[in-house]
Amino acid sequence: MAESYPSFAGGQRITGALLRSGQPRTARKTADTSRSASTTTTPDPHLQFDVEANAVYTWSGWIKYDADVLGDLILDFTAPAGALGEWYNLGAGNPVTGASSTPTLRVDTQGVSGYMIRTETNDVAQSRSFGALGVGITMAVSIGGVLRMGATAGTWTLDWAQGASSATATTLYTDSYITMIRTA
């Protein structure tokens, strides 16, 4: 049976706040954010949501970035205590398999020949790295998943950093976004 939130009951008073609670919410980057010489993931200043205790959310998004070939990108999430869930990604593996590389299919999670594209599903608290082709060559990662909240409400954030410390900045660009829908 399909989930929906909120559940309206006959005779219930419908308020603006109640109607808004059932609408998708989108966090969109309104400015570029650059980070250099750091491999410690920290929250993106734009891609964050307040989440309710005992709620269930589905979400999807698009992250546009560029990075030095040596810097790459790591994506991670911070969720309130007790939250569970999974997320997926479709993005360039790390290291990037170049146009002149011989494509290979690998069954492990990393290797020296890289990935054509990452397709793993990950625990909500697990990070993933993505490759880059060089500064000025924009890349994108499609992400999505499910967040099942425990008894603690709080803030859910997309965290990110460079995969390897580089003085050349990794940048997440304006208009990257995440859309979240509460389903229960």
Side-chain angles (χ1 to χ4, degrees), residues 30-169:
T30 56
D32 297 348
T33 304
S34 297
R35 296 183 179 158
S36 59
S38 177
T39 59
T40 302
T41 59
T42 55
D44 186 87
H46 304 106
L47 302 177
Q48 305 181 13
F49 291 91
D50 290 331
V51 288
E52 300 295 324
N54 303 310
V56 177
Y57 299 91
T58 59
W59 57 274
S60 61
W62 176 74
I63 306 301
K64 180 182 176 184
Y65 70 99
D66 85 0
D68 179 51
V69 173
L70 301 176
D72 296 325
L73 172 69
I74 292 178
L75 296 181
D76 198 359
F77 297 92
T78 297
L84 299 171
E86 295 278 330
W87 71 284
Y88 75 90
N89 55 81
L90 299 173
N94 182 9
V96 172
T97 300
S100 62
S101 303
T102 302
T104 59
L105 178 61
R106 298 188 62 95
V107 295
D108 61 347
T109 58
Q110 278 190 320
V112 296
S113 63
Y115 284 85
M116 291 178 273
I117 191 167
R118 294 197 83 137
T119 60
E120 299 99 344
T121 181
N122 313 288
D123 182 80
V124 72
Q126 185 178 16
S127 65
R128 279 291 175 234
S129 59
F130 300 93
L133 294 173
V135 174
I137 302 172
T138 56
M139 307 284 287
V141 179
S142 176
I143 58 176
V146 174
L147 179 65
R148 298 183 317 275
M149 294 298 298
T152 305
T155 302
W156 178 76
T157 64
L158 174 103
D159 304 342
W160 65 277
Q162 293 180 313
S165 183
S166 172
T168 304

